[in-house]
Amino acid sequence: MDTESRRGRRRSAAAALVGGPAAVGLGLVAHLVSGGAAPPTVVVAALVVLVSLLASVAARAPVAPWMVAIASGALQQALHLAFTALAGPNGPLFPATGHAHHGATSPAAPAGALQGAPVDFHLLVVAHIAAALLTVLALTAATRLAASLRAPGSPQYGHEALPSAGIP
């Protein structure tokens, strides 16, 4: 396997390991800080896997840094919509308690039902922009680190750095 192919694989793996959890985790924090409801853990885990796969594929494509930033912003928008739609019994897909971003009560909600705190849209936008930028920084750092690492056993690595642990 040639060196460029190995670097591409390492960048792809780093993007998958860092990009998915960072984007979804930071997006979830941004969503919660701005007053949104959290979806079930299974939904968050599925979104992490999906975003990790997307990040792995995107890491193989030669793209400009500004394109990564725009993609991260679009991803945060999609994550916000997914978190809102899949927020368990408070989400639009499950209208039992009538979740709404403005915190108004729904006709379907029983009297005295607890409603979520009103969402501050300014905070929502700023939090998701911050999540997008932090995701780009984490992804850039991880892919640069992965590209700079040398594989054990490669001529550049140097076998003296490996502990022998009594293995001949």
Side-chain angles (χ1 to χ4, degrees):
M1 185 182 313
D2 66 339
T3 305
E4 189 57 39
S5 178
R6 274 189 237 148
R7 280 192 188 143
R9 284 187 177 192
R10 284 194 299 265
R11 275 194 312 265
S12 182
L17 291 172
V18 173
V24 175
L26 291 168
L28 181 60
V29 168
H31 194 74
L32 293 174
V33 164
S34 61
T41 306
V42 174
V43 171
V44 174
L47 288 171
V48 167
V49 170
L50 179 64
V51 173
S52 293
L53 289 172
L54 290 173
S56 175
V57 170
R60 293 283 190 139
V63 295
W66 63 268
M67 292 174 74
V68 175
I70 289 175
S72 182
L75 178 63
Q76 284 299 316
Q77 185 74 351
L79 286 171
H80 166 72
L81 295 173
F83 292 151
T84 300
L86 303 171
N90 293 329
L93 294 180
F94 309 100
T97 60
H99 170 79
H101 271 298
H102 49 78
T105 57
S106 168
L114 290 176
Q115 296 295 318
V119 172
D120 181 357
F121 286 110
H122 294 98
L123 180 59
L124 177 85
V125 170
V126 170
H128 277 289
I129 288 172
L133 293 174
L134 289 172
T135 300
V136 169
L137 290 175
L139 192 56
T140 302
T143 55
R144 282 185 182 169
L145 178 64
S148 69
L149 292 178
R150 296 182 184 137
S154 69
Q156 308 96 334
Y157 192 78
H159 295 286
E160 66 279 351
L162 294 174
S164 64
I167 300 173

